[in-house]
Amino acid sequence: MSDDALLARLRDDLGREAVLTDTDVTGSYSRDMMPLAPSGTPLAVVLPRDVAGVQATVRACAEAKVPIVPRGAGSGLSGAANAIDGCVVLVLTKLNEIVEVDAGNRLAVVQPGVVNLDFRNAVEKHGLFYPPDPSSYDWCTIGGNLSTNAGGLCCVKYGVTTDSVLGLEVVLADGSLLHTGRRTVKGVAGYDLARLFVGSEGTLGIITRATVALKPLPQAPATLVAGFTSTAAAGEAVARVVREGLVPSLMEIMDAASIKAAEAYLKTDIGAGSDCQALLLCQSDAGGEVARREMAALEQICNDCGADMAYATDDLAEGNMLLQARRVVLTALELYGSWLTDDVCVPRTRISELIAGCQRISEEVGLRIAVVGHAGDGNMHPTIVYDPTSADEFARAQRAFDAILEVGLSLGGTVTGEHGVGKIKREWLEREIGPVGLRVHQQIKAALDPENLFNPGSMFAMP
Amino acid sequence: MSDDALLARLRDDLGREAVLTDTDVTGSYSRDMMPLAPSGTPLAVVLPRDVAGVQATVRACAEAKVPIVPRGAGSGLSGAANAIDGCVVLVLTKLNEIVEVDAGNRLAVVQPGVVNLDFRNAVEKHGLFYPPDPSSYDWCTIGGNLSTNAGGLCCVKYGVTTDSVLGLEVVLADGSLLHTGRRTVKGVAGYDLARLFVGSEGTLGIITRATVALKPLPQAPATLVAGFTSTAAAGEAVARVVREGLVPSLMEIMDAASIKAAEAYLKTDIGAGSDCQALLLCQSDAGGEVARREMAALEQICNDCGADMAYATDDLAEGNMLLQARRVVLTALELYGSWLTDDVCVPRTRISELIAGCQRISEEVGLRIAVVGHAGDGNMHPTIVYDPTSADEFARAQRAFDAILEVGLSLGGTVTGEHGVGKIKREWLEREIGPVGLRVHQQIKAALDPENLFNPGSMFAMP
């Protein structure tokens, strides 16, 4: 089938308004938020309104042998949703219905185009809680969260997206519809296909519906902030929290460069003191006496590890204000230039070594690197600041990006804690999982997508 | 390669003592605990001492095209570990080392042959907790738990085995060694292969090592027992517990037949009263004031739902005594004959309908059916009692077994909550997952085990 014939068929099947080819428009659907990743020029951008439209698109592209790059809002940070030349970009944002909230069984059924925050708000009305909260929660979609197995601040207590998934509906390479998983909280009937598709970054099928488990709504959080004059002391505090069996609902870390940026942006002294090298932010959502006890234990550990400032509050507004410093870091870094955020996860005992490594790399490449991260699970986001008009600085930023992954792996970590592999970490994935792991990936991909049309070249290359 | 040549090679590679062919001995390795499942006569039983021995066995069998049925202790309830004629039974019990307990990162590395209870005890010495606790925890092995994705009483709060798995080492069909997953608590580098192998019942590879996440050791549990004159009232109490956002660490249900059996076996009145139709047993391991509050809320719900007996205690010994009634049910049923235990999981709002269905089936087939189950997650174990010397009663028991699955599916449930598919529920799996789901299973199996030598005919048949 020629490209023109494919476009005609898509317009027939989905309606003219669902098939975009104006390059001014399609350009805005051809990238996510990762500047390092290459992107191509799509043949068309398709926005189906329902699962039948997704199936029709997949079938038409299969016949024309045209690759499909699925995407949601485009908030990704790995280039997984970036177009490749001549592909169809399949945008899932119009499948945006919350199909069902079943409070009696604490579950919901949701389409991929629903924005994370809208979904959170909808289930909250039923007294329920959907934990996954990536930083882009106010605009990223559930479908993107599923495809990248997104995390967020909640993970230290509530896990990542896959931990909330009970079942999926998926359009397969031949256009057929797979229903996998279940509505019950337990079930071992067959392979765990749902969790195979979660995090597969659109390379195995198109997720068109998810059944997710919900939690009881937690209590309003109490918040603790603690400042340390060395990252080693902050790292030791994190390790002690883990070792002593505490499970805060949030535990974030900011290094000196992050603190400085946040203070400059907020035009305020966040109370860390001028020689502060690391800030820990912790919350407990257990409520009442338990939260107070948890906060007291966290504060004690911080003090024992040499914090020279520790402040706790159970006032929600004040807690939010304290957290604001953490939330604004990436925006604040734009004061200095463009940024490139990395994503490594290390064992929780190795966090301060990672931060030290980033400081060394910063000196080597001569660029500012600010480290913020989810200390509670070891998932760090060292963020490199560079001048986007300087090819040299961009090249040095890329070098720093790779050097950070190198340090992460050497500490027993993984090259991506929550952002995914996409088009920027293919070689790093191969290095982490080794030749046997890569072969198994290729075997599974070939089994489910024999023509290699689902997001080809993302995550890994076929042999 | 002839059978004799294969045996000679295995003896060469693993040592004579690792290869058993005496049928008196091999017979004891040819079945698990499910009387319904067919079993065959193995060519040999092989007990490697290390991963190299597992690889050698897999390579030799691949060359001889002889199927491999892996097994641990044989506590399974689906026939997944039952031998097929001419196979090699690969026993993993001698790979029984706890390789590492890393308290700082709350994880452990363990070989498949370690007994669940031994592993629990070992990590407890580090103040840590491995949640999965199948009823056979004092003799089942971690490898079997991984292969069946085993559950237990802990699941209502802590999830099933897969929820504790970080990474796996697996021997693949060509004898190569796959390392998948990670040591960090988060990570999205590549497909979630670890969770694909967990619960795959030995059909995709041989698990030789697992890295598992551990929890802080919970507090000593407080216990509540409540009696109801109708199962509908008990079911409503369970639904209310879920709806009100309570997460007890244990919530079990026993129907009238289970209560009667336990009382007869324990030679005591467990205080349920003669017209008691259902008993709920709940625990909270939150400790102190929280546990007291949780217990009070649970008691209130039970009373609101019409319990005519509710008793709570935070005395550990007394709590264990109350739980004993639940723990002895299967043994107690042996007073009346042999038993056949089913395993269905239904949405938590449908439990009393399942119990009512079992009572109807009991009358239809004229056999005693006792229902015990993990009410907190809807996973019920209706247990059929029959006379093993009567072919007619056995046939009726089989009929009841299937009829219960039928009811479970009709209530939106799954045909196996934790025991697995094995050799007894193949047709039921197909019915639950449908033709598309079955095809995906077959595609993945063919991709990873092209000669179909890993536990062939278990879970599903190849086309």
Side-chain angles (χ1 to χ4, degrees):
Chain A
M1 201 186 319
S2 71
D3 286 353
D4 284 345
L6 172 61
L7 292 175
R9 173 158 161 191
L10 288 171
R11 288 191 179 107
D12 269 0
D13 286 350
L14 286 95
R16 296 196 70 80
E17 73 292 349
V19 183
L20 313 177
T21 52
D22 177 342
T23 50
D24 286 349
V25 181
T26 58
S28 69
Y29 288 100
S30 67
R31 292 200 59 86
D32 67 12
M33 299 294 286
M34 167 47 72
L36 277 192
S39 72
T41 305
L43 169 68
V45 171
V46 174
L47 294 105
R49 302 205 150 265
D50 52 26
V51 65
V54 177
Q55 290 177 286
T57 307
V58 169
R59 287 193 177 118
C61 289
E63 211 168 304
K65 297 206 189 302
V66 165
I68 293 176
V69 177
R71 66 176 272 147
S75 62
L77 290 163
S78 71
N82 282 15
I84 54 177
D85 285 337
C87 78
V88 163
V89 173
L90 178 54
V91 186
L92 279 306
T93 50
K94 290 195 188 295
L95 277 78
N96 61 354
E97 195 192 340
I98 297 171
V99 181
E100 180 190 358
V101 180
D102 176 352
N105 289 298
R106 282 212 295 257
L107 62 83
V109 180
V110 59
Q111 287 189 324
V114 174
V115 169
N116 181 297
L117 179 60
D118 295 340
F119 184 55
R120 303 170 77 76
N121 289 339
V123 304
E124 197 176 316
K125 285 186 195 130
H126 297 264
L128 292 167
F129 173 51
Y130 177 67
D133 61 345
S135 294
S136 55
Y137 71 97
D138 53 350
W139 68 289
C140 65
T141 59
I142 298 292
N145 297 171
L146 290 163
S147 294
T148 56
N149 194 10
L153 306 189
C154 76
C155 302
V156 55
K157 183 165 179 179
Y158 296 104
V160 291
T161 297
T162 198
D163 296 308
S164 292
V165 174
L166 295 174
L168 294 178
E169 178 188 85
V170 184
V171 175
L172 299 173
D174 65 353
S176 62
L177 204 58
L178 171 70
H179 292 96
T180 186
R182 52 192 195 281
R183 284 177 70 91
T184 55
V185 284
K186 269 166 90 177
V188 293
Y191 298 156
D192 192 349
L193 298 180
R195 279 169 162 160
L196 178 64
F197 285 99
V198 172
S200 65
E201 301 182 6
T203 61
L204 297 177
I206 312 292
I207 297 170
T208 49
R209 184 180 278 215
T211 304
V212 298
L214 304 170
K215 299 267 183 201
L217 207 55
Q219 302 296 307
T223 305
L224 169 80
V225 58
F228 298 83
T229 51
S230 83
T231 53
E236 175 55 25
V238 173
R240 283 264 314 263
V241 168
V242 175
R243 210 158 54 229
E244 297 196 7
L246 293 165
V247 185
S249 58
L250 175 151
M251 183 159 56
E252 297 288 308
I253 193 166
M254 295 168 65
D255 74 348
S258 304
I259 298 166
K260 205 172 295 173
E263 286 186 328
Y265 180 79
L266 295 171
K267 297 193 175 60
T268 175
D269 172 1
I270 56 180
S274 61
D275 55 351
C276 179
Q277 291 299 308
L279 214 57
L280 275 188
L281 290 147
C282 306
Q283 288 192 323
S284 167
D285 64 3
E289 186 48 44
V290 194
R292 272 189 289 279
R293 226 168 34 224
E294 246 175 5
M295 283 293 112
L298 290 164
E299 191 169 348
Q300 184 64 53
I301 288 173
C302 288
N303 287 328
D304 289 352
C305 292
D308 49 356
M309 182 275 281
Y311 175 73
T313 177
D314 55 9
D315 183 89
L316 187 58
E318 195 182 16
N320 281 338
M321 220 179 62
L322 293 173
L323 261 194
Q324 209 197 351
R326 161 67 182 91
R327 294 203 189 275
V328 300
V329 170
L330 289 191
T331 313
L333 288 171
E334 289 173 4
L335 293 174
Y336 310 111
S338 287
W339 50 255
L340 190 60
T341 194
D342 215 327
D343 169 47
V344 289
C345 191
V346 295
R348 290 169 287 188
T349 48
R350 315 299 293 271
I351 290 171
S352 71
E353 289 167 82
L354 182 79
I355 294 176
C358 291
Q359 286 168 343
R360 203 182 56 242
I361 293 164
S362 167
E363 284 158 26
E364 278 165 21
V365 299
L367 293 174
R368 185 189 303 259
I369 300 180
V371 184
V372 287
H374 315 305
D377 45 44
N379 189 185
M380 297 291 114
H381 297 305
T383 303
I384 309 147
V385 182
Y386 65 97
D387 174 356
T389 65
S390 158
D392 173 60
E393 285 214 2
F394 188 57
R396 280 186 278 147
Q398 284 186 272
R399 231 164 62 217
F401 189 88
D402 282 342
I404 291 165
L405 296 177
E406 182 85 45
V407 172
L409 274 186
S410 76
L411 295 172
T414 171
V415 296
T416 171
E418 57 184 12
H419 294 170
V421 174
K423 295 182 173 77
I424 52 159
K425 289 186 180 171
R426 281 179 15 174
E427 290 73 21
W428 286 100
L429 174 70
E430 193 171 338
R431 193 160 148 190
E432 180 170 329
I433 65 177
V436 177
L438 178 65
R439 201 184 68 219
V440 174
H441 277 72
Q442 291 166 334
Q443 286 167 333
I444 289 174
K445 168 85 165 152
L448 297 189
D449 179 22
E451 299 286 344
N452 193 22
L453 294 180
F454 283 143
N455 213 359
S458 227
M459 262 188 146
F460 55 88
M462 290 302 281
Chain B
M1 201 187 319
S2 71
D3 286 353
D4 283 345
L6 172 62
L7 292 175
R9 172 158 161 193
L10 289 170
R11 288 192 179 105
D12 270 1
D13 286 351
L14 287 95
R16 296 195 70 77
E17 72 294 346
V19 183
L20 313 177
T21 52
D22 177 343
T23 50
D24 286 351
V25 180
T26 59
S28 68
Y29 288 100
S30 67
R31 293 199 60 84
D32 68 11
M33 298 295 286
M34 167 47 74
L36 276 191
S39 73
T41 305
L43 169 67
V45 171
V46 174
L47 294 104
R49 301 205 151 267
D50 52 26
V51 65
V54 176
Q55 290 178 285
T57 306
V58 168
R59 286 192 177 118
C61 289
E63 210 168 303
K65 298 208 189 301
V66 166
I68 292 176
V69 177
R71 65 175 274 146
S75 62
L77 289 163
S78 72
N82 282 13
I84 55 176
D85 285 337
C87 79
V88 162
V89 173
L90 178 55
V91 186
L92 278 307
T93 50
K94 289 193 189 297
L95 276 79
N96 61 354
E97 195 192 341
I98 297 170
V99 181
E100 180 190 357
V101 179
D102 177 351
N105 289 298
R106 280 211 295 258
L107 63 81
V109 180
V110 58
Q111 288 190 322
V114 174
V115 169
N116 181 295
L117 179 61
D118 294 340
F119 184 55
R120 304 171 75 76
N121 288 339
V123 303
E124 197 175 317
K125 284 186 195 130
H126 297 264
L128 293 167
F129 173 49
Y130 177 67
D133 61 344
S135 295
S136 54
Y137 70 98
D138 54 349
W139 67 290
C140 65
T141 61
I142 297 291
N145 297 172
L146 291 163
S147 296
T148 57
N149 194 9
L153 307 189
C154 74
C155 302
V156 56
K157 182 164 180 179
Y158 297 104
V160 291
T161 297
T162 198
D163 296 309
S164 293
V165 174
L166 295 174
L168 294 179
E169 177 188 85
V170 183
V171 175
L172 299 173
D174 65 353
S176 62
L177 205 58
L178 171 70
H179 292 96
T180 185
R182 52 194 195 278
R183 284 177 70 92
T184 54
V185 284
K186 268 166 91 178
V188 293
Y191 299 156
D192 192 349
L193 297 180
R195 279 169 163 160
L196 179 63
F197 284 100
V198 171
S200 65
E201 301 183 5
T203 62
L204 297 177
I206 313 292
I207 298 170
T208 49
R209 185 179 277 213
T211 304
V212 298
L214 303 170
K215 298 269 182 197
L217 207 54
Q219 302 296 306
T223 306
L224 169 79
V225 57
F228 298 82
T229 52
S230 82
T231 53
E236 175 55 26
V238 173
R240 283 263 315 264
V241 168
V242 176
R243 210 158 52 229
E244 297 195 7
L246 293 165
V247 184
S249 58
L250 174 152
M251 183 158 57
E252 297 288 308
I253 192 167
M254 297 168 64
D255 74 347
S258 304
I259 299 166
K260 205 172 295 173
E263 288 187 326
Y265 179 80
L266 296 170
K267 296 193 175 62
T268 177
D269 172 2
I270 57 181
S274 61
D275 55 351
C276 180
Q277 291 299 307
L279 215 58
L280 276 188
L281 290 148
C282 305
Q283 289 191 324
S284 166
D285 64 3
E289 187 47 44
V290 196
R292 271 189 291 279
R293 227 170 31 225
E294 244 175 7
M295 284 291 113
L298 290 165
E299 191 168 347
Q300 185 65 52
I301 288 173
C302 289
N303 286 328
D304 289 352
C305 292
D308 48 356
M309 181 275 281
Y311 175 73
T313 177
D314 55 9
D315 183 89
L316 186 59
E318 195 183 16
N320 282 338
M321 220 179 61
L322 294 173
L323 261 194
Q324 209 197 353
R326 161 69 182 90
R327 293 201 189 275
V328 300
V329 169
L330 289 190
T331 313
L333 288 171
E334 289 173 3
L335 293 173
Y336 310 111
S338 288
W339 50 256
L340 191 59
T341 195
D342 215 326
D343 169 47
V344 290
C345 191
V346 294
R348 289 168 287 187
T349 49
R350 315 298 295 271
I351 290 171
S352 73
E353 291 168 80
L354 181 79
I355 294 176
C358 291
Q359 286 169 343
R360 204 181 54 242
I361 292 163
S362 167
E363 283 158 28
E364 277 165 21
V365 300
L367 293 174
R368 184 190 304 258
I369 301 180
V371 184
V372 288
H374 315 306
D377 45 43
N379 190 186
M380 298 290 115
H381 297 305
T383 304
I384 309 148
V385 182
Y386 65 98
D387 174 357
T389 65
S390 158
D392 172 59
E393 285 212 1
F394 187 56
R396 279 186 279 150
Q398 284 186 269
R399 232 163 62 216
F401 189 87
D402 283 341
I404 290 165
L405 296 177
E406 182 85 44
V407 172
L409 276 186
S410 76
L411 294 172
T414 171
V415 297
T416 171
E418 58 183 10
H419 294 170
V421 173
K423 295 181 175 78
I424 53 160
K425 289 186 180 170
R426 280 179 15 175
E427 290 73 21
W428 286 99
L429 174 70
E430 193 171 336
R431 193 160 148 190
E432 180 170 330
I433 65 178
V436 177
L438 179 65
R439 201 184 66 220
V440 174
H441 277 72
Q442 290 165 335
Q443 286 167 333
I444 289 174
K445 168 84 167 153
L448 297 189
D449 179 22
E451 299 286 345
N452 193 23
L453 294 179
F454 282 144
N455 213 359
S458 228
M459 263 189 146
F460 55 88
M462 291 302 281

